[in-house]
């Protein structure tokens, strides 16, 4: 069975709504969406630059600029491994972890509000469909 012609458009509209809400939540935490994604990735564990570039879908120069801006705010810190400056890991600072945890909790609480009008059964079915789509992309 193929999707209806409007299905792709519906997905784009849904993505736009979610991204707008996410951007609003990020702004309330004084973060750009890119900084928020970065903080959420490093808030609980250090990550290498190659892994971050892949997870964020950024080229290394773009990632470096994002890290520079976030590091200037004192939210993340670069650390070298085994005295080799070429191998760099990014860690969250205590203020970065605090903001990252608060943002993560806020997103987890507020994004689902967009679907509060759905019945519990429909929300559960929707979540299963999203999980299946995400699993297929991994």
């Amino acid at each position: 069975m193929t999707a209806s012609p409007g299905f792709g458009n519906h997905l784009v509209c849904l993505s736009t709504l979610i991204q707008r809400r996410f951007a609003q939540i990020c702004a309330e935490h004084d973060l750009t969406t890119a900084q928020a994604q970065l903080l959420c990735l490093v808030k609980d564990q250090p990550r290498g630059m190659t892994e971050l570039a892949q997870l964020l879908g950024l080229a290394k120069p773009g990632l470096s600029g994002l890290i520079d801006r976030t590091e200037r705010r004192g939210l993340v810190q670069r650390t070298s491994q085994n005295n080799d400056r070429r191998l760099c890991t990014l860690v969250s600072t205590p203020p970065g972890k605090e903001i990252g945890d608060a943002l993560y909790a806020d997103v987890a609480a507020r994004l689902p509000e967009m679907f509060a009008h759905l019945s519990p059964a429909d929300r559960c079915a929707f979540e299963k469909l999203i999980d299946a789509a995400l699993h297929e992309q991994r």
Side-chain angles (χ1 to χ4, degrees):
M1 181 176 171
T2 59
S4 68
F7 186 63
N9 188 50
H10 290 311
L11 291 174
V12 170
C13 290
L14 178 60
S15 173
T16 300
L17 288 174
I18 291 169
Q19 289 301 317
R20 282 183 190 156
R21 177 70 58 95
F22 180 62
Q24 177 186 27
I25 295 168
C26 293
E28 291 170 9
H29 289 271
D30 195 29
L31 297 168
T32 66
T33 57
Q35 289 172 330
Q37 290 171 334
L38 180 66
L39 275 183
C40 285
L41 287 171
V42 299
K43 71 182 185 64
D44 294 324
Q45 66 181 355
R47 299 215 188 235
M49 297 303 182
T50 301
E51 180 184 16
L52 285 170
Q54 184 178 28
L55 290 169
L56 293 169
L58 294 173
K60 288 187 181 181
L63 177 62
S64 292
L66 171 61
I67 291 171
D68 288 344
R69 291 185 298 278
T70 311
E71 192 172 34
R72 279 194 296 273
R73 293 190 55 195
L75 303 177
V76 295
Q77 178 180 340
R78 289 178 175 102
T79 61
S80 297
Q81 295 181 351
N82 302 327
N83 296 326
D84 186 348
R85 293 185 62 187
R86 294 171 297 162
L87 297 177
C88 186
T89 301
L90 193 69
V91 298
S92 178
T93 62
K97 174 142 177 57
E98 184 178 327
I99 291 171
D101 286 342
L103 172 78
Y104 193 84
D106 209 8
V107 167
R110 292 177 54 197
L111 277 184
E113 289 174 356
M114 296 174 67
F115 304 97
H117 64 284
L118 297 177
S119 71
D122 284 346
R123 284 178 68 148
C124 184
F126 188 49
E127 186 174 359
K128 287 179 182 178
L129 291 169
I130 293 168
D131 284 342
L134 292 173
H135 178 73
E136 187 65 28
Q137 295 303 310
R138 290 185 187 134

